[in-house]
Amino acid sequence: MKIICVCGLGQGTSLILRMNVETVLREMGIQAEVDHMDVSSASSMPADYIITNNELARSLPDHRAQIIIVNNYFDLEEIRQNLKEAM
């Protein structure tokens, strides 16, 4: 399973989201390849899931991946809940 964590520039915020997603997946016992990048790069990358905020998700309307919306990239419980619902 391939997951991409997306922010506007693909630097700090998406890296934090990636680390938090990896933590939650580890706790859930799920193995996945998790990467982080900017929204422009993500638009052409294959993935099973893209995790981003609502605003950036609107920039990815034609992507084949399932989009998971997370409003607070620091909130492990929100990340966990939204991953569970998507998977």
Side-chain angles (χ1 to χ4, degrees), residues 4-66:
I4 301 174
C5 298
V6 174
C7 72
L9 298 175
Q11 306 263 330
T13 310
S14 62
L15 176 59
I16 291 166
L17 178 59
R18 174 187 171 184
M19 293 181 341
N20 288 336
V21 166
E22 288 172 333
T23 297
V24 169
L25 290 172
R26 197 169 32 256
E27 291 171 357
M28 294 171 68
I30 298 172
Q31 290 191 350
E33 178 185 344
V34 184
D35 203 356
H36 70 282
M37 62 190 64
D38 66 279
V39 69
S40 295
S41 298
S43 65
S44 62
M45 293 294 292
D48 298 300
Y49 298 95
I50 292 177
I51 304 176
T52 191
N53 63 37
N54 194 39
E55 180 181 335
L56 293 175
R58 288 181 268 198
S59 299
L60 300 163
D62 298 324
H63 203 288
R64 299 178 112 188
Q66 181 175 348

